[in-house]
Amino acid sequence: MSAPAKTHGLLAEFDTPADLMAAALKCRDAGYTKWDVYSPFPIHGMDDAMGLKKSLVGWFTFTGGCTGFTTGMTMIWFMNKFDYPLVVGGKPLFTPLYAFPVSYELTILLSAFGTLFGLAALCRLPKWYNPLFKNERFKRASNDKFFICIEAVDPKFGHAQETLQSAGAKIIETVED
Amino acid sequence: MAKIANASGGAEATGSRGHHAPPVLKVADAPRELERAPLVLNNRSLGWITDAVAGVCENPMPKWWWPAFILSAGTMGMMFSLLAYLVSTGTGVWGLNTSANWAWDITNFVFWIGIGHAGTLISAVLFLLRQKWRTSINRAAEAMTIFAVACAGIFPVFHTGRVWFALYPGYLIPMPNSNWIWPQFRSPLLWDVFAVSTYGTVSLLFWYVGLIPDLATLRDRAKTKLRKLGYGVFSLGWSNSNRHWSNYEKAYLILAGLSTPLVLSVHSIVSFDFAVSQVPGWHATIFPPYFVAGAIFSGFGMVLTLLIPMRSLFNLHDLITVRHVELMCKVLLATGSIVGYAYGMEFFIAWYGGSPYELWAFLRNRVADPFIFGPLFKVPTAPYWWAYWMMISCNVISPHLFWSRKLRTNVVFVWIVSIFVNIGMWFERFVIIVTSLHRDYLPSSWGYFTPSWVDVFTFVGSFGLFMTLFLLFIRFLPVIAISEVKGVTPQADPHHPLGGAKEHH
């Protein structure tokens, strides 16, 4: 690590999504790994510009959904067929048909929870401390400005100032950790 | 949007005239028909959108807010007092009788749960269909969904009188009773419990996920310590990082994909409460699609009832435009037509199906008015003819007014019609439930249901709960999805000149 331990990274500000996108392409091609782009809304095409892989949230959803469906079917089978069989209206004690609506709802319920927890886990949220929030300018990342931050832990951090300048950043600031 | 003539094409064109001329780069305007009407009017900047929306819950509320809040909270208090009266006395305080064991309670339940469906339709189905106009109304519509489900939940919980049995031994949550018998899942009533509670929970999760970036915006703008803490905690440390946006967009898409089959299943299952029974007037296969269409119809009615005053009171005309109102009217027209068709088909099948009981339920309990249809079919006046025709006039006639563009774009007129839709859809559920029940197979137990004052004021009180929650929502949360609206403006598009795109790139 060449930079002093106190530095979190370099924060560069941009005015428009197009400038941000062009700069992100440069950072990606320069081979940075510990860096991120900040924008008040998701920008179409930015994932490719950053070279991000497809999000893994779907796997959490799938796991949740499978759990929900199995829980529903097992619960109903246990309650109505296994633990206390009781004939009602001459209907079968258990069939997946009448157990379906409840299992379907539980599939959706646990899929939704899986999605939420997957999102939180993949984004490492909730996160109670972020050095970027100490920067006054960065408050506009949720309003109308666009930022790139290259972190000091990146092996190529030595060239960061140069890259961001050539990418057309208006303002470049050092963020303390 | 400026269209840039492709460089090689330009070279070929000039090449035919002589290869000495340099390739000309012509910038032509896109044909007018290809240019989409902007969703945010007056070409507002990104910062303006933040200020306009966040300003609603940052600035002091207008003068009417406190009186409105006190009135709503008082009405809500009245409902809870009446529910306490019901629990301490018994369900006899309602106007129920034997044969009409369900009346206003379940009517109110179906009414409120139906209202919620528009919120999910706007937030999930229109999202999957890439209807970008939804962005400025989805937040408020989803809030409406959650509050409507809260109101709906009260009635099935309280309609048995002894509410504590809802939990233990559970007729709502599956717990064995004192003989260790479990609830039986062959009954649609139990399916309904799972459908409605899943619907409430998933709607809340979806709403919250949508709120996270906007809560972060409010956190970054917060001036007081309390607001910083509140919005800070609930925004979970969201930093607008694109690595997060990437997961967020995926999660949002999945939640929309989950909510769509969910919303269709919820009102289908609510309709099974009736359709799976063998009561004439209920036992109909048309019920699931008919209920879902009716739910969306009523929900859009309520969205219009809420949003038309809101856009005026908070000056959001550039975000919730007349075009939005017009598009919602078109949804009313479409779903209202389905509902009208279902009414006709129901009546036709009652006759064509050949069951005398079914025809009785329709003709002699509902349709036969004293003026036209009673004399025409030579049957005595139906006890609830007034409710049936109230429903028909509100739900069949009013949506068809929206064939006219002039009427669709007149917001005051639309607001008045939206109230008729609300009234009509409440009557639809009343007609289905009470007219089918009040005369069962034994003529000796036939009776006429009349609501008691407790029935009436409990229902009125549920509007108090709904409005209290909605007013608190306006007071503390962004009423329009800020980040989503920004995302549909040309300023957000890196390939649009307003998004900073250079002409040569």
Side-chain angles (χ1 to χ4, degrees):
Chain A
M1 218 189 287
S2 56
K6 277 270 190 179
T7 308
H8 172 72
L10 276 185
L11 184 69
E13 184 180 311
F14 300 85
D15 279 339
T16 65
D19 293 348
L20 184 75
M21 186 87 117
L25 283 166
K26 284 205 169 144
C27 291
R28 178 194 73 183
D29 295 343
Y32 293 102
T33 48
K34 300 283 175 194
W35 66 293
D36 210 339
V37 167
Y38 301 87
S39 57
F41 45 84
I43 296 171
H44 190 67
M46 187 56 87
D47 291 1
D48 289 336
M50 279 182 77
L52 296 185
K53 292 205 182 80
K54 259 178 83 176
S55 167
L56 297 173
V57 174
W59 289 105
F60 290 85
T61 313
F62 182 71
T63 313
C66 292
T67 316
F69 191 77
T70 321
T71 310
M73 284 289 171
T74 317
M75 175 182 77
I76 295 170
W77 169 83
F78 173 79
M79 289 176 184
N80 286 178
K81 167 120 185 185
F82 181 79
D83 191 54
Y84 200 129
L86 189 68
V87 177
V88 179
K91 294 173 196 164
L93 289 173
F94 179 80
T95 125
L97 291 182
Y98 83 72
F100 187 79
V102 168
S103 309
Y104 177 89
E105 299 301 332
L106 286 175
T107 309
I108 292 179
L109 182 69
L110 295 198
S111 297
F113 274 110
T115 312
L116 182 73
F117 294 139
L119 174 66
L122 292 169
C123 297
R124 308 285 187 276
L125 294 175
K127 187 173 177 183
W128 304 121
Y129 177 73
N130 189 336
L132 291 173
F133 290 168
K134 289 190 293 191
N135 184 299
E136 268 311 303
R137 260 173 208 296
F138 189 73
K139 286 203 189 317
R140 288 182 77 175
S142 64
N143 184 6
D144 58 354
K145 291 288 179 190
F146 305 86
F147 296 87
I148 288 181
C149 178
I150 299 178
E151 290 176 28
V153 291
D154 192 290
K156 298 193 173 166
F157 184 66
H159 308 286
Q161 178 86 25
E162 208 180 305
T163 315
L164 290 171
Q165 240 153 20
S166 72
K170 293 272 150 57
I171 297 151
I172 301 176
E173 287 180 342
T174 308
V175 179
E176 301 293 311
D177 214 346
Chain B
M1 193 188 286
K3 190 174 140 196
I4 300 157
N6 137 349
S8 64
E12 267 170 37
T14 48
S16 64
R17 273 180 239 127
H19 63 272
H20 294 298
V24 184
L25 198 67
K26 273 192 180 170
V27 180
D29 285 332
R32 255 190 83 236
E33 60 273 20
L34 289 184
E35 187 77 55
R36 291 221 166 192
L39 292 162
V40 178
L41 297 185
N42 296 327
N43 200 15
R44 301 293 193 177
S45 68
L46 298 174
W48 182 89
I49 297 172
T50 320
D51 292 340
V53 181
V56 172
C57 58
E58 285 171 349
N59 300 331
M61 279 286 124
K63 282 201 184 81
W64 56 263
W65 192 85
W66 272 108
F69 182 75
I70 290 167
L71 181 71
S72 306
T75 316
M76 174 179 75
M78 174 180 76
M79 179 190 70
F80 284 116
S81 319
L82 290 175
L83 290 174
Y85 176 49
L86 173 96
V87 171
S88 57
T89 316
T91 42
V93 301
W94 284 347
L96 304 172
N97 56 46
T98 293
S99 78
N101 286 299
W102 278 358
W104 277 43
D105 45 3
I106 305 302
T107 302
N108 299 342
F109 160 68
V110 183
F111 170 77
W112 278 118
I113 204 87
I115 296 276
H117 280 51
T120 319
L121 191 93
I122 292 169
S123 61
V125 181
L126 296 186
F127 179 77
L128 295 181
L129 296 174
R130 298 285 184 253
Q131 295 295 307
K132 290 183 175 172
W133 59 275
R134 73 180 257 293
T135 50
S136 53
I137 53 170
N138 74 332
R139 173 68 45 72
E142 278 176 63
M144 179 197 79
T145 295
I146 293 158
F147 306 151
V149 174
C151 292
I154 286 174
F155 293 98
V157 170
F158 278 86
H159 87 292
T160 55
R162 290 185 265 183
V163 278
W164 53 94
F165 286 134
L167 299 175
Y168 185 80
Y171 63 80
L172 287 184
I173 59 161
M175 293 270 275
N177 73 2
S178 44
N179 293 331
W180 285 100
I181 300 173
W182 295 93
Q184 64 106 1
F185 283 86
R186 278 148 280 191
S187 162
L189 295 181
L190 206 52
W191 307 349
D192 203 17
V193 172
F194 280 82
V196 171
S197 50
T198 299
Y199 184 50
T201 314
V202 172
S203 301
L204 192 64
L205 290 186
F206 194 24
W207 191 55
Y208 178 63
V209 168
L211 268 168
I212 292 172
D214 289 358
L215 290 172
T217 301
L218 289 174
R219 170 201 66 202
D220 292 347
R221 292 166 58 97
K223 298 278 185 292
T224 68
K225 213 160 187 165
L226 190 68
R227 288 180 85 92
K228 271 184 189 153
L229 182 75
Y231 293 124
V233 166
F234 285 106
S235 59
L236 306 177
W238 181 261
S239 62
N240 297 290
S241 132
N242 193 61
R243 289 175 198 274
H244 290 182
W245 279 124
S246 172
N247 289 318
Y248 175 90
E249 284 204 286
K250 183 78 171 190
Y252 198 85
L253 177 69
I254 290 173
L255 285 173
L258 290 170
S259 301
T260 301
L262 174 64
V263 72
L264 299 178
S265 79
V266 171
H267 231 59
S268 298
I269 290 180
V270 169
S271 83
F272 289 160
D273 289 346
F274 307 104
V276 173
S277 78
Q278 291 175 350
V279 176
W282 286 7
H283 189 61
T285 47
I286 201 175
F287 264 30
Y290 157 37
F291 268 52
V292 171
I296 294 164
F297 180 61
S298 70
F300 270 87
M302 189 60 101
V303 172
L304 286 165
T305 310
L306 289 173
L307 291 196
I308 289 174
M310 192 179 92
R311 74 193 271 274
S312 297
L313 290 167
F314 292 102
N315 249 328
L316 299 169
H317 296 88
D318 287 349
L319 292 165
I320 303 172
T321 63
V322 173
R323 180 167 163 226
H324 287 97
V325 175
E326 205 191 334
L327 286 166
M328 286 192 268
C329 288
K330 286 182 183 170
V331 177
L332 277 186
L333 174 57
T335 51
S337 304
I338 300 175
V339 168
Y341 167 80
Y343 293 159
M345 187 48 72
E346 232 186 0
F347 191 44
F348 170 73
I349 292 295
W351 167 75
Y352 189 67
S355 159
Y357 303 104
E358 191 74 13
L359 187 62
W360 184 290
F362 277 87
L363 187 59
R364 292 176 188 242
N365 289 356
R366 297 181 189 176
V367 176
D369 65 294
F371 311 109
I372 302 167
F373 288 93
L376 185 72
F377 292 110
K378 298 194 177 62
V379 290
T381 303
Y384 287 101
W385 70 272
W386 55 273
Y388 185 82
W389 289 103
M390 182 83 153
M391 163 189 105
I392 294 285
S393 3
C394 292
N395 292 351
V396 179
I397 299 169
S398 57
H400 291 284
L401 298 169
F402 294 136
W403 287 103
S404 150
R405 187 189 175 84
K406 209 169 173 182
L407 296 177
R408 285 199 304 265
T409 49
N410 179 342
V411 288
V412 177
F413 178 81
V414 171
W415 189 75
I416 294 167
V417 173
S418 78
I419 301 217
F420 279 106
V421 169
N422 293 326
I423 296 172
M425 285 308 292
W426 187 87
F427 269 96
E428 180 195 296
R429 281 64 176 255
F430 176 80
V431 165
I432 291 172
I433 293 169
V434 175
T435 66
S436 305
L437 283 179
H438 81 292
R439 287 171 164 182
D440 64 6
Y441 289 106
L442 279 177
S444 61
S445 59
W446 286 7
Y448 188 80
F449 167 83
T450 316
S452 75
W453 66 272
V454 183
D455 270 311
V456 177
F457 287 102
T458 308
F459 177 52
V460 172
S462 66
F463 280 92
L465 172 64
F466 183 73
M467 285 315 298
T468 304
L469 292 169
F470 203 80
L471 287 167
L472 287 173
F473 158 68
I474 293 177
R475 171 75 185 78
F476 290 108
L477 294 172
V479 290
I480 289 177
I482 305 173
S483 66
E484 285 186 48
V485 170
K486 284 178 189 163
V488 299
T489 58
Q491 288 90 330
D493 181 357
H495 303 292
H496 194 282
L498 287 172
K502 309 288 181 293
E503 290 191 346
H504 320 270
H505 82 102

